Structure formats: structure tokens, C-alpha cells
Amino acid sequence: MLPFACALATYMFFEARALKVRRLSLEFPTLPAPFEGFTVLHISDLHLLKFGTIPRQLLRVLPGLPADCAAFTGDYKRHTYSDDAPIPAWMGRIVRACRTREGAFGVLGNKDNRSMKDALAPYGLDVLLNESRTIERGGARLHLLGVDNRNPVRRPVEAARIFERFPEDGFRVLLAHTPDYVRLAAEHGIELMLAGDTHGGQVLVPLIGALKVKSRLGRRYCRGVILEGPTTLHISSGCGTANVPFRLGCPPEVTLITLRRAAHP
């Protein structure tokens, strides 16, 4: 039994350091023609404690994944009590490795202090703290919306007020650390939402699945693409780990998402 446990632990340790690149094509009937083929590089949950294996893999991989923009969905630090000081420079190296036309945008996670918004700005990461940015092409608009990390299930009234600040026209992409914002996104007709936080379950037991799903909305909101009314939600399995440095059946990932126009029925 002990040799099996040691072998399994070794496998899980190395899986947590085997970065995968995923490619998705998502269709939207409301996507304006000038944004056909628009690409978003989704990166989440880096949990940096040092500039180790995964960050170094990112430096090799990201230059080969040109995109219109990069979207970081929070948890740049390993722990809430980790030192903030080295994070902006480390993130700057990762952001510079991204080959984007419109830049890199992000939100804060539950491990990140609000002061990190200003600290990350000089390093090329535009953190959206309940605010939006607009990209215009051919007279059409794509809005990137970013929310803070308050829990929308426990604090629904406060969370709902955030959406009153956002534009209602154009194609909207919501960045959130937690997928729990998805029902509010659907209520407001947001077309695409990007989130992380769950780590995809991190450890998936065969025939059982994730032992723990962090979302308060339930096991459905663990990872991958989920349709919630008019909203398409992508939950990244993330790059880092939490609590234990292991993964099983859920390798770290970055995802290149291509937006396509769906034919009207």
C-alpha cells in the first residue's frame, strides 16, 4: 500500500507542474461582425510563492499564443498572508510574455489585496475593480467588465449594484474570480463570463470527480464551459494549487478562446 501511495503522490506532484494549453471556439449570435475571430487568452489562479516551474513554463508557452487580449481572473498570490512585494514584478514577466493586440486585463482574487490593483498597473496588467474597458472595431464595441471578489451569493444586493455601473450596449465579457457571479451575469444578459477560483476541483477521483467544489452554486460550477441562460461561462482550472501542491486528473491550464458569430436560427 505504501509504494502505491508514494507513486500516486509523485504522479500528482508532477501533474501539478505539467501545464496544458487548451483551445476553445465559442459561438454567439450577438457577436458584432468586426469581432469575428476575436481571441482571449484566459489565465487564472497563478498562486505565486516563487517564480517556479509553472511561471517559467508560461514564459515559454505564452509567446506562441498570440491573442487580442489576455484575461487574468485573480489569485496572483499563493496565500493572503504571502508577501505582496515580489508579485507585481513576477506578474510583469508573465504579462510581457503575452502577445496581445489590446493588452492584458484582470481582476483580483480572494488571496489578493486591493492595493495590488495600483501595484500591477506599471507592469502592464489593467486590473478592473468594478469597472469596465471598451474596445472598438468598425463601429462596434466589446466591453470588458471586472468585478471585485465579494461573494454574490452571500451579498447579493451589493453585488447586483456593481452591474448598474456597466454599459448595456455592445458585446460584454465579464471577468470575475468566482463563478458565483454567473447568475447575476445571466440576469443582465452578459454574453461571456470568465472565472477561476475552483482550480477545476484540483483532485478528481475516478468515478467520483472532485472531492470539493469551491463554488457556492454547486458541483456543476467546477470547470469548463457552462451555459447559464444567455451567458456562456468558462471556468479555468487555473495554473497553481491551493493547500496541497498536487493535482489529479486536472492539470494546470491556460485557455485560448476564439469568439465566433453563430448563425441566427
Side-chain angles (χ1 to χ4, degrees), residues 47 75-80 109-113 149 214:
H47 288 285
D75 271 4
Y76 311 109
K77 294 171 56 177
R78 180 65 177 273
H79 306 291
T80 53
N110 57 294
K111 306 297 185 187
D112 307 316
N113 300 320
N149 195 51
K214 195 172 180 182

Side-chain angles (χ1 to χ4, degrees), residues 76-77 84 87-88 105-109 112-133 146 148:
Y76 311 109
K77 294 171 56 177
D84 285 6
I87 302 299
F105 305 87
V107 291
L108 300 178
D112 307 316
N113 300 320
R114 291 174 77 93
S115 61
M116 201 171 288
K117 171 180 168 63
D118 293 335
L120 289 168
Y123 293 90
L125 184 56
D126 186 1
V127 174
L128 307 181
L129 195 59
N130 303 327
E131 53 192 327
S132 64
R133 301 289 183 267
D148 64 24

Side-chain angles (χ1 to χ4, degrees), residues 46-52 55-56 59 76-78 82-96 120 123:
L46 287 155
H47 288 285
L48 298 173
L49 190 61
K50 61 180 180 178
F51 207 81
R56 294 182 188 282
L59 297 188
Y76 311 109
K77 294 171 56 177
R78 180 65 177 273
S82 300
D83 185 9
D84 285 6
I87 302 299
W90 289 344
M91 285 301 303
R93 295 178 66 183
I94 294 169
V95 169
R96 286 194 300 272
L120 289 168
Y123 293 90

Side-chain angles (χ1 to χ4, degrees), residues 178-202:
T178 171
D180 291 358
Y181 270 101
V182 69
R183 291 180 181 169
L184 272 173
E187 287 176 17
H188 289 81
I190 289 171
E191 290 86 354
L192 175 62
M193 176 178 163
L194 306 178
D197 194 31
T198 65
H199 298 197
Q202 192 167 314

Side-chain angles (χ1 to χ4, degrees), residues 53-69:
T53 302
I54 289 294
R56 294 182 188 282
Q57 287 185 54
L58 286 170
L59 297 188
R60 294 194 298 269
V61 168
L62 294 179
L65 297 171
D68 287 290
C69 73

